[in-house]
Amino acid sequence: MSRNAFAWYMQRITGALLVPLLIAHFWVEHFMSATLMRGDLTYDVILSRISNPWWQAIDISFLLIALYHGLNGLYGIILDFGKVGPRAATATLVLLFGVGVAWAIWGITAFHNL
Amino acid sequence: MNRRIFINRSSSGSKSRWQNYTLECSPELTVLDALFSIQQQQDPTIAFRCSCRVGMCGTCGMQINGVSRLACKTRLTELDGKDVFLAPLPHLSVIRDLVISLAPFFEQWRKVLPAMRSRDAESQELAIVPEDSAYAQHTDGKRDCITCGLCFSECGVLATNKHYLGPAAINKALLRVLDPRDTARAERLEILDSSQDGVWRCHTQMNCVAVCPKGIDLTESIGFFKRRLLLKNGELES
Amino acid sequence: MIPPRVLIKTYLSPLIGMTAYFMQRVTGLLLLFYLLLHVHTVHEISGGPLAFNHAMDAFKNPLFRLLEIGLLGIVILHALNGIRIMVIDFGVATRHQKRLFWGLAVVIGALIFIAGALPLFMHSVWER
């Protein structure tokens, strides 16, 4: 399949994956064991969860999938302006890829203090 | 009942302006009837195009109250509000008032190689496609395009990206690509797969489907190519 | 020049697909922006118990809670309309795209939104 077909397909795959990931994330953060409203969401609760490598893996996957979906979507918006020729389109792709990598590193290192 | 008809007037070199006319409207009057009445009795200088007057030729396309429609098929009673606003079809070149040139439309149309490239150009035999054939069934409801340009004008992608092929051209490509008599399939698929112009620019807004006077499911035609390019690398069974 | 009421009716009925497209794009960009804020926030709160508590106190502010409920709404709209787009892409229901929008994205979306937002809203905005 062409690169365009693959990107179109991946946008839908990542979108579909984000739905259960988001539901899980929202539920875990707001309703599961400890909540901000009940006053028992403390640093230790978060620390114990974040130190668990399984949660880290889920969170990092979540971030990478969301970044792909968001930046791919942004690329589509840019192409839709119809003002970028083939070379500018490739340059934009490289730029967005770079932004994505930097953002991913920034996100993954959020755990480094813990 | 009296209604005001606002017509967007312009000529080459001059800025467009709205000019209004008041018309006594009987219930069965179409926008085209109203235009004839205004032209004959009030202002002979307004310019508009029409031909068959019965929704077959696609010549009288214009923007009516913000939506691209055929003037001969739009009754004034269908239109909300007291005033009616007529403007030339967007995304096309305006010649004068409501008269446009379909040149941008056909420029995109030509990019998909709309003519059939037959296997044997010298053959004297009729290349018939039977009514019960797979081709006839797959293209049912897709063959009625009158190249009126309404889909082209209403497409939200074409509003910002003038390189996009547009629904009519892609639908035409579908008719050729599925045709068992044609041999230019690979070339067309390459054009349709292009980043900036091709089928991937369609975002299923479905404005085209909403305005097509022939009821062609254009988004489905475009979606067909997306699925084919994805799953079968463009391969199709003949 | 065209009366706003006429245009609104147009974009709510024959051209609802266009409205859905705008909404998908706008919510997508907003969510991308939110992701930026979110990664920044996680960096902040991971600086130790003090930084964490400081941030949590800021989040008890009703304004943050309202924004969070707004975020829930935006996520639901984007996700359900995204599902609708996938259904259309499968070629299953192009004829029903308007019904899919109002039924799926709006009605079901509203139900999920209320289910999610009500607990948040009731506990946080009224208590100090």
Side-chain angles (χ1 to χ4, degrees):
Chain A
M1 65 175 82
S2 67
R3 193 175 71 191
N4 293 320
F6 183 72
W8 181 85
Y9 185 54
M10 286 308 289
Q11 194 67 352
R12 276 121 189 98
I13 297 289
T14 52
L17 286 172
L18 282 170
V19 175
L21 275 171
L22 257 163
I23 291 171
H25 189 67
F26 203 73
W27 184 71
V28 166
E29 298 303 324
H30 281 284
F31 297 111
M32 194 172 76
S33 44
T35 65
L36 186 59
M37 283 97 70
R38 288 206 299 264
D40 52 5
L41 188 70
T42 63
Y43 182 71
D44 298 317
V45 169
I46 300 277
L47 183 65
S48 69
R49 186 160 60 225
I50 291 297
S51 306
N52 184 335
W54 287 112
W55 282 115
Q56 284 187 13
I58 290 172
D59 282 345
I60 289 172
S61 313
F62 188 16
L63 177 67
L64 295 177
I65 293 173
L67 277 177
Y68 180 90
H69 189 82
L71 293 173
N72 199 13
L74 191 56
Y75 182 59
I77 293 175
I78 291 170
L79 278 186
D80 281 335
F81 281 115
K83 301 277 198 287
V84 288
R87 276 180 51 219
T90 314
T92 310
L93 203 55
V94 171
L95 177 70
L96 286 175
F97 185 74
V99 167
V101 168
W103 199 329
I105 293 173
W106 185 43
I108 293 167
T109 56
F111 299 137
H112 79 282
N113 282 331
L114 303 166
Chain B
M1 179 183 84
N2 275 348
R3 283 178 96 163
R4 275 192 309 180
I5 317 282
F6 284 80
I7 301 179
N8 192 273
R9 310 210 49 191
S10 64
S11 52
S12 60
S14 83
K15 264 199 75 168
S16 72
R17 69 184 202 285
W18 289 99
Q19 193 165 342
N20 74 77
Y21 307 85
T22 308
L23 197 62
E24 170 80 38
C25 298
S26 46
E28 72 277 0
L29 221 61
T30 63
V31 169
L32 188 61
D33 295 329
L35 282 167
F36 272 122
S37 173
I38 294 168
Q39 192 188 55
Q40 285 160 11
Q41 283 150 29
Q42 297 184 49
D43 184 353
T45 67
I46 59 165
F48 58 95
R49 273 211 184 109
C50 68
S51 186
C52 74
R53 300 167 298 117
V54 293
M56 276 181 61
C57 69
T59 309
C60 63
M62 59 186 67
Q63 197 181 56
I64 300 173
N65 281 5
V67 181
S68 306
R69 309 179 68 155
L70 294 181
C72 65
K73 297 288 282 181
T74 308
R75 295 208 185 275
L76 290 170
T77 49
E78 287 173 55
L79 300 171
D80 257 342
K82 186 107 202 303
D83 302 331
V84 175
F85 293 86
L86 306 177
L89 283 179
H91 314 159
L92 298 164
S93 2
V94 181
I95 297 176
R96 205 180 106 214
D97 300 341
L98 299 169
V99 178
I100 45 87
S101 160
L102 278 172
F105 173 91
F106 282 113
E107 201 180 306
Q108 302 309 89
W109 180 265
R110 274 191 291 274
K111 285 187 182 151
V112 303
L113 313 176
M116 186 173 78
R117 197 173 73 192
S118 54
R119 240 166 276 279
D120 178 6
E122 308 299 318
S123 166
Q124 298 301 309
E125 279 182 42
L126 285 175
I128 298 173
V129 176
E131 213 176 301
D132 54 356
S133 67
Y135 175 54
Q137 277 158 41
H138 281 139
T139 57
D140 193 33
K142 303 279 174 83
R143 299 191 290 268
D144 303 324
C145 177
I146 53 177
T147 62
C148 61
L150 294 189
C151 60
F152 192 85
S153 296
E154 201 62 55
C155 177
V157 176
L158 276 163
T160 52
N161 179 4
K162 63 181 200 295
H163 303 287
Y164 175 49
L165 290 172
I170 298 175
N171 186 63
K172 183 67 177 177
L174 180 77
L175 295 179
R176 289 289 168 253
V177 163
L178 286 179
D179 194 328
R181 303 165 295 179
D182 184 79
T183 58
R185 181 179 297 170
E187 287 98 307
R188 291 198 190 91
L189 285 171
E190 203 183 307
I191 294 156
L192 292 165
D193 193 25
S194 134
S195 306
Q196 197 159 228
D197 332 0
V199 300
W200 308 110
R201 289 299 102 224
C202 167
H203 298 293
T204 61
Q205 295 164 355
M206 302 183 72
N207 288 358
C208 50
V209 178
V211 299
C212 176
K214 291 291 157 188
I216 302 175
D217 194 344
L218 295 157
T219 306
E220 207 278 318
S221 299
I222 303 170
F224 172 89
F225 278 120
K226 290 177 187 169
R227 292 190 295 277
R228 285 292 160 167
L229 285 166
L230 175 74
L231 297 169
K232 309 224 169 170
N233 209 23
E235 280 309 306
L236 300 149
E237 51 293 342
S238 253
Chain C
M1 198 63 203
I2 299 169
R5 199 178 62 91
V6 172
L7 280 176
I8 288 170
K9 283 183 83 170
T10 302
Y11 280 92
L12 283 178
S13 191
L15 300 183
I16 185 71
M18 184 82 199
T19 307
Y21 160 83
F22 272 133
M23 188 201 74
Q24 194 70 357
R25 291 247 148 135
V26 168
T27 53
L29 287 172
L30 287 174
L31 287 169
L32 206 55
F33 176 65
Y34 169 74
L35 188 61
L36 212 59
L37 296 176
H38 192 51
V39 173
H40 171 75
T41 305
V42 174
H43 264 278
E44 292 281 301
I45 66 174
S46 67
L50 236 72
F52 181 85
N53 291 333
H54 178 73
M56 286 299 128
D57 283 334
F59 293 151
K60 286 202 181 119
N61 185 334
L63 176 65
F64 269 111
R65 286 292 152 165
L66 277 170
L67 283 175
E68 201 164 32
I69 291 166
L71 174 68
L72 176 67
I74 287 175
V75 166
I76 287 171
L77 274 177
H78 191 85
L80 290 178
N81 193 40
I83 293 171
R84 168 180 162 271
I85 289 170
M86 285 199 272
V87 171
I88 292 171
D89 284 336
F90 282 128
V92 166
T94 49
R95 290 281 177 211
H96 303 294
Q97 62 104 2
K98 293 174 196 169
R99 261 171 273 180
L100 273 177
F101 179 76
W102 290 112
L104 188 64
V106 176
V107 171
I108 294 182
L111 290 172
I112 299 175
F113 178 72
I114 292 167
L118 216 49
L120 290 177
F121 187 75
M122 282 168 59
H123 278 140
S124 65
V125 180
W126 298 116
E127 84 171 32
R128 276 290 173 178

